[in-house]
Amino acid sequence: MSGNNENGSNKQRVLLVTGMLGAGKTTALRVLEDLGWEIVDNFPIRLLDGLLESTPEADPASTTPLAIGFDSRTRGFDPARVISQVKALKGREDIELNTLFLDCSSQELERRYNETRRRHALASDAPVATGIRAEREVMAPLRRWAELLIDTSEFTSNDLQRVIRERFAPATGEAMTVTVSSFGFSRGMPPVADLVFDMRFLDNPHWDPELRPQTGQDAPVGDYIRKDPAFDEAFTRIRDLLLLLLPRYRAQGKAYVHIAFGCTGGRHRSVFTAEQIALALREAGFSPTLLHRNLGSRAADLLEGGLRREK
């Protein structure tokens, strides 16, 4: 499923984006916006019919894909009514409508809320777990109904961004999407990666008090890493290996390739190397997406409104 109509029709593409609070709805909507979708968040879903009637059929902009975000906090929220509305809209020939549900395990949701000290909207003065249980019961019909389900229990914000891009990026002439990411082994391996390079053999800027608070995106850290005698040769070999493999992957019809670079904390060596590899791939004609998993907090990133956008 891509951001634009692949069949060339003038149907209005509509994606309803909902799910458990804290599962990543805001992150998903922001990525969709970056991909060219028109976004309406926190929308009173009972007004959906009126929204879809508000764009004249003759308006070329009416074929811009539309993503509508809503959740259990929405005033007058009634899952049964939402499903009834969706069923009726699916009968229209001018609309292509799907529902994306973002789920997450209750244990992980509770961890995220506790880490960020945010109050669950349905918990009132009760423990977070009480609000999560109540919300899961309310959202169950929509979860069963949704055509698309993404479980973010093991995802960072960057993982979710990558999955949304893979599923909804517009079709282009390039038959393969390349993602280059950095991560810290101290927080575990990335759940989805095709090629993983361990950069912990390089001298660690963390042990320099002046460099510790900086990241691999800062010039002093990059200069420090480049001075390691092993860096230039290792970088050249990794770059040449990727330039050998990526065309072969494309020829074999592989749609997505995720290249991950890891170091201890995911802030210095892996970040710098990922940045340099992404630059080299762009110079070679690829268009990689660059993600840095551990430059922000996972819990803060995925809770609604807490996304820290990478530049």
Side-chain angles (χ1 to χ4, degrees):
M1 178 177 291
S2 64
N4 297 326
N5 288 329
E6 296 179 356
N7 58 9
S9 73
N10 291 322
K11 283 188 176 183
Q12 171 67 66
R13 294 207 48 216
V14 181
L15 180 67
L16 303 182
V17 183
T18 188
M20 297 292 291
L21 296 172
K25 175 172 69 73
T26 298
T27 298
L29 288 172
R30 287 179 178 174
V31 175
L32 288 169
E33 184 176 24
D34 289 343
L35 293 174
W37 290 64
E38 182 179 356
I39 303 300
V40 182
D41 197 8
N42 300 320
F43 183 72
I45 201 66
R46 65 184 182 280
L47 304 179
L48 179 61
D49 292 347
L51 174 67
L52 296 181
E53 293 294 346
S54 64
T55 304
E57 193 171 316
D59 185 354
S62 66
T63 57
T64 299
L66 174 65
I68 301 173
F70 65 97
D71 53 49
S72 58
R73 297 169 296 184
T74 304
R75 185 176 180 181
F77 177 73
D78 182 350
R81 182 175 179 180
V82 173
I83 292 172
S84 178
Q85 285 181 281
V86 171
K87 286 181 177 179
L89 289 170
K90 280 183 174 292
R92 288 176 48 171
E93 295 184 355
D94 60 329
I95 292 176
E96 179 186 341
L97 189 148
N98 290 282
T99 302
L100 167 62
F101 191 98
L102 294 159
D103 201 3
C104 184
S105 71
S106 297
Q107 182 179 5
E108 173 61 16
L109 285 174
E110 187 172 356
R111 189 195 67 79
R112 292 175 186 174
Y113 274 95
N114 288 337
E115 183 173 321
T116 57
R117 298 183 180 180
R118 295 190 63 185
R119 185 186 299 274
H120 192 283
L122 301 187
S124 187
D125 294 327
V128 170
T130 301
I132 293 173
R133 283 195 299 270
E135 182 190 12
R136 194 170 294 285
E137 183 176 349
V138 169
M139 299 298 290
L142 270 176
R143 187 185 189 282
R144 291 192 296 267
W145 168 261
E147 294 93 345
L148 304 170
L149 174 67
I150 298 177
D151 189 329
T152 69
S153 300
E154 301 296 328
F155 280 14
T156 66
S157 174
N158 283 340
D159 292 330
L160 178 56
Q161 290 180 59
R162 185 188 59 78
V163 170
I164 295 296
R165 287 182 182 277
E166 288 178 355
R167 294 201 180 197
F168 297 101
T172 65
E174 184 177 353
M176 184 172 64
T177 298
V178 178
T179 300
V180 177
S181 72
S182 68
F183 71 94
F185 283 98
S186 61
R187 292 204 175 188
M189 293 278 288
V192 279
D194 300 290
L195 299 167
V196 178
F197 295 93
D198 184 349
M199 308 310 295
R200 289 177 292 185
F201 64 88
L202 297 172
D203 291 338
N204 192 351
H206 173 83
W207 301 115
D208 185 320
E210 293 185 3
L211 299 179
R212 184 176 302 168
Q214 300 183 48
T215 76
Q217 294 176 321
D218 296 309
V221 173
D223 292 341
Y224 180 97
I225 295 171
R226 283 190 183 278
K227 290 178 182 178
D228 188 310
F231 177 79
D232 284 341
E233 182 177 358
F235 178 84
T236 299
R237 291 192 179 196
I238 293 172
R239 180 200 63 196
D240 291 348
L241 175 63
L242 294 175
L243 293 180
L244 169 67
L245 295 180
L246 291 177
R248 297 297 302 269
Y249 283 142
R250 187 187 314 189
Q252 294 296 325
K254 190 169 177 61
Y256 309 104
V257 176
H258 180 189
I259 307 160
F261 292 90
C263 62
T264 304
R267 292 180 53 82
H268 297 108
R269 294 165 290 180
S270 62
V271 171
F272 177 73
T273 308
E275 293 269 347
Q276 296 304 306
I277 285 293
L279 178 61
L281 293 181
R282 291 190 189 101
E283 292 174 347
F286 294 92
S287 300
T289 297
L290 181 61
L291 303 174
H292 297 302
R293 187 184 79 176
N294 294 132
L295 290 187
S297 165
R298 178 172 68 162
D301 280 352
L302 281 175
L303 279 176
E304 306 303 338
L307 174 64
R308 175 177 175 177
R309 304 185 74 179
E310 305 293 353
K311 299 298 184 182

